[in-house]
Amino acid sequence: MKREPPRIIELTEYQLATFEQDSIPESVGQKIYQNYAKEIDIEFPNFKTRYQWHLKSKGRVGNIPITPEFHIAIRPKVPINNLFGMLEYAYNLKIKFPQGSIQCQSLEQTYETLANILAKKILERCRKGLYRDYLSKTERLAYIRGRVDLRSALQKPWDVKLKCHYNEQTGDIEDNQILAWTLFIIGRSGLCRESVSSTVRKAFHALQGFVTLKTFKSEACIDRTYHRLNQDYQLLHALCRFFLDNTGPSHETGDREMLPFLIDMANLYEQFVAEWLKANTPKGFFVKPQHRVIHDPNYFYRIDLLLCDIATSKVLYVLDTKYKAPDKIDNKDIYQIVAYANALKCQNAILVYPQNLKQPLDIKNDDIRVRSLTFSLDSDLNEAGKTFLTSLLPNTLS
């Protein structure tokens, strides 16, 4: 029997949505409250809510399969094409798209587009042959291979099998295992149409005969070594990092349950601004993202971005991204950025927002100038970046 498509409740990030009491089963509300409290604020129908459901996303966008019959789709406030552009920068997705070829209308289409690209590129690599490397192995063999463990042989002279240490060339290595695990995760998302799901399955089966299926986190895709023989894996692993970063664990039992796909927009905004600045760093500067300031072994804090003088390495600007648009800047954010600037003896502290604020900030705190600037996500990202840089460095870029 064909299963009916799930009912989808739509939310928009940071916006309160109300639903009639009978539109959401109480059991579903309980699962949202128990399993997704970090992602969604939920208030059950009561006198205060006029017996309606109140749901509000806390800044994540994507798809949550609460039950097989009931899903929540959280839409971004950012235009979808700009969200795609943010992902390209944040994850270094250096894909040469023909002009105008990518027209995603929804987050699901963005997911599907990237899944299709990954699966096709893995199939292309499988046809050329998977990258192979030498792995060290130790086995007891009836023949000599590689280096014999003489101590072991002398201890057991009656044993006809010799303990041998040797190197074996194999395709069952991390480079390929990451690809297989990512395709497995995509296959459980339920976000791809059959045409794309079929390509994903073909790519997974092409790897299955050669690669062991192992669990990986997104961190495994970072700081890997690439060279002439596996250079094309850099893009493959960048795509894998995107899927592994944003796919959460299922809260249901059973291997067939669908997995939630959720993008933390605050983290994405931070990564995007950092990577855009790295790609468009003004002459005479260099960018240092996620700088740690360690006070003692048990306490440190992480600064989003530093803009430094390339000649002296001196920190000239401390930047902290804030994915929100408040009417008035929170004093806690000001105290925090001032503390960062003081720790690094920097005189320029910048709070970066995705929208123009009603009350922008430009104040002096002792010797530190604290400003709020905008890196907008509403229009062309590169033009928005240029406007941001002009505001940040008016004398340097003029």
Side-chain angles (χ1 to χ4, degrees):
M1 182 183 293
K2 187 176 179 181
R3 176 182 284 184
E4 290 292 319
R7 185 178 169 203
I8 296 177
I9 288 286
E10 291 197 4
L11 308 178
T12 300
E13 58 168 324
Y14 289 122
Q15 292 183 10
L16 178 67
T18 60
F19 303 93
E20 294 302 318
Q21 185 169 3
D22 59 359
S23 64
I24 300 176
E26 186 169 347
S27 60
V28 168
Q30 289 172 352
K31 288 193 174 187
I32 296 171
Y33 178 76
Q34 291 168 357
N35 300 327
Y36 296 101
K38 291 181 180 179
E39 290 79 20
I40 297 173
D41 271 328
I42 181 169
E43 196 164 354
F44 286 65
N46 58 59
F47 176 77
K48 178 184 167 185
T49 67
R50 297 183 179 181
Y51 297 100
Q52 293 179 318
W53 293 92
H54 283 191
L55 277 74
K56 185 178 181 180
S57 162
K58 295 182 178 180
R60 285 176 171 81
V61 301
N63 183 275
I64 304 176
I66 305 300
T67 69
E69 299 79 24
F70 197 101
H71 292 197
I72 292 179
I74 308 171
R75 308 301 181 198
K77 292 186 297 183
V78 177
I80 288 295
N81 281 342
N82 278 1
L83 179 68
F84 196 96
M86 291 172 71
L87 292 171
E88 284 188 89
Y89 271 105
Y91 289 93
N92 291 304
L93 303 179
K94 296 174 182 177
I95 307 169
K96 295 179 181 178
F97 297 114
Q99 187 68 28
S101 65
I102 300 299
Q103 295 294 329
C104 295
Q105 301 299 318
S106 68
L107 187 56
E108 289 83 1
Q109 284 185 13
T110 301
Y111 183 99
E112 190 178 63
T113 297
L114 294 177
N116 198 36
I117 291 169
L118 176 62
K120 285 184 174 180
K121 287 191 173 293
I122 290 174
L123 283 170
E124 182 183 323
R125 180 68 210 215
C126 286
R127 284 191 288 269
K128 291 193 298 185
L130 293 173
Y131 171 59
R132 301 166 73 87
D133 201 0
Y134 286 95
L135 293 183
S136 298
K137 284 197 169 187
T138 299
E139 284 185 296
R140 289 194 172 274
L141 302 172
Y143 53 91
I144 294 175
R145 183 177 182 183
R147 181 172 58 84
V148 176
D149 189 326
L150 291 176
R151 177 179 291 180
S152 175
L154 292 172
Q155 286 175 345
K156 298 180 180 180
W158 59 87
D159 194 341
V160 295
K161 290 189 175 182
L162 300 171
K163 188 177 181 181
C164 300
H165 306 282
Y166 63 94
N167 293 325
E168 181 179 65
Q169 192 181 47
T170 176
D172 193 11
I173 56 176
E174 261 199 14
D175 275 9
N176 296 318
Q177 290 166 354
I178 290 170
L179 306 183
W181 177 249
T182 305
L183 291 173
F184 177 73
I185 290 296
I186 293 170
R188 292 183 62 191
S189 73
L191 292 176
C192 300
R193 290 171 297 174
E194 179 53 33
S195 57
V196 175
S197 293
S198 175
T199 306
V200 170
R201 285 195 297 271
K202 284 179 185 175
F204 180 70
H205 291 315
L207 292 171
Q208 217 174 3
F210 304 95
V211 176
T212 304
L213 188 63
K214 293 183 179 179
T215 303
F216 286 94
K217 293 184 178 180
S218 62
E219 289 82 359
C221 305
I222 301 172
D223 295 332
R224 302 193 66 81
T225 302
Y226 301 100
H227 45 73
R228 182 177 58 85
L229 298 177
N230 72 340
Q231 191 61 45
D232 55 333
Y233 277 71
Q234 190 164 1
L235 172 58
L236 299 181
H237 290 151
L239 286 163
C240 289
R241 182 183 161 213
F242 162 72
F243 290 107
L244 297 180
D245 236 358
N246 301 298
T247 303
S250 171
H251 291 283
E252 301 293 328
T253 56
D255 293 336
R256 299 180 64 85
E257 294 300 330
M258 292 170 60
L259 297 172
F261 170 72
L262 290 166
I263 297 174
D264 186 322
M265 291 300 294
N267 284 344
L268 177 61
Y269 184 58
E270 178 189 330
Q271 291 177 46
F272 161 67
V273 172
E275 292 300 328
W276 192 93
L277 281 177
K278 284 167 69 176
N280 298 275
T281 309
K283 188 175 180 181
F285 295 89
F286 70 92
V287 174
K288 191 172 183 181
Q290 297 188 345
H291 177 74
R292 278 191 174 194
V293 176
I294 300 174
H295 289 276
D296 60 59
N298 299 315
Y299 177 66
F300 71 90
Y301 51 74
R302 183 179 59 80
I303 303 174
D304 289 354
L305 280 167
L306 304 179
L307 194 58
C308 307
D309 184 277
I310 202 165
T312 64
S313 295
K314 182 181 178 181
V315 178
L316 299 180
Y317 294 86
V318 174
L319 299 95
D320 197 20
T321 56
K322 298 294 179 185
Y323 186 74
K324 50 188 176 181
D327 292 334
K328 185 179 179 182
I329 295 174
D330 193 329
N331 284 332
K332 290 180 181 177
D333 293 338
I334 298 174
Y335 299 149
Q336 182 184 56
I337 193 74
V338 168
Y340 292 168
N342 274 321
L344 297 174
K345 297 181 172 57
C346 175
Q347 294 183 332
N348 291 287
I350 310 295
L351 295 166
V352 186
Y353 293 86
Q355 293 179 6
N356 291 325
L357 303 184
K358 292 181 180 178
Q359 298 180 37
L361 184 72
D362 190 346
I363 61 171
K364 272 274 194 177
N365 186 295
D366 294 329
D367 292 333
I368 299 169
R369 184 186 181 190
V370 185
R371 288 186 288 162
S372 65
L373 297 179
T374 304
F375 195 130
S376 175
L377 304 176
D378 296 331
S379 55
D380 182 270
L381 294 178
N382 284 320
E383 289 303 316
K386 291 175 185 177
T387 301
F388 167 72
L389 273 181
T390 301
S391 301
L392 178 67
L393 306 165
N395 299 324
T396 306
L397 300 179
S398 59

